[in-house]
Amino acid sequence: GGTVTREQFQNMASKSINAVAATTAGVYQGDEGRAINIRGSRSDAVSYYVDGQKIIGSAGVPQQSVEQVTTIVGGTPAQYGDATGGVIAVTTRGPQSNYFGGVELISSQLTDPYGFNQVGFSTGGPLLTKKDTATQSKNSVLGFIISGQVTDIKDNSPSAVGNYKVNDELLEKLKKNPITK
């Protein structure tokens, strides 16, 4: 398996948990946004965990909320129970000592006809802090994070070769005299 940290995830081209997991040896994803297969198992044999809780379906956690993604492809620990294919465990960000926030916009609307648009945001910070007497610094005991991500894709599966159309003259000819065996 493998682990991808928040910093590595934010520098990756893909923003989905499945695509991050697909960078691990033994994990296959047919196309971006599709289900994954671990070690040849069916996609429904992959178990997703977010902060230790099993999730049914895929983990739809916004990228800004992810602290790390761990993909387990073999030798599954007992804590994951009945995972037959593999496990994708997502750990979300914990309480932060400072307030933070950000917005990320990705769009191909102006450069290609496929129309990939994604907006992500996050904000968070401390709610309750405790002063460390040894270092005189404040550590967050309780914090919050609010994040979200919206994706809109006009064409989910663009063709590399384009679309072919029979010219109108030939189409009319075939309508009048269809080819039969």
Side-chain angles (χ1 to χ4, degrees), residues 11 47 76 107 114 152:
N11 291 327
S47 296
T76 308
S107 179
Y114 309 118
D152 177 52

Side-chain angles (χ1 to χ4, degrees), residues 49-52 61 65-70 89-94:
Y49 284 80
V50 176
D51 291 334
V61 179
S65 294
V66 173
E67 186 63 37
Q68 72 179 25
V69 178
T70 302
V90 178
T91 305
T92 58
R93 294 178 76 177

Side-chain angles (χ1 to χ4, degrees), residues 104-167:
E104 180 180 39
L105 172 65
I106 300 170
S107 179
S108 71
Q109 197 73 32
L110 299 174
T111 59
D112 64 41
Y114 309 118
F116 178 87
N117 298 297
Q118 186 175 63
V119 176
F121 71 92
S122 68
T123 186
L127 292 174
L128 179 64
T129 58
K130 182 178 179 182
K131 190 172 185 177
D132 185 1
T133 56
T135 62
Q136 299 300 317
S137 64
K138 290 185 176 181
N139 295 325
S140 182
V141 176
L142 180 65
F144 74 96
I145 183 170
I146 299 170
S147 66
Q149 185 169 299
V150 176
T151 303
D152 177 52
I153 304 172
K154 287 184 179 178
D155 188 353
N156 281 331
S157 185
S159 173
V161 294
N163 297 322
Y164 293 101
K165 180 181 183 248
V166 175
N167 68 40

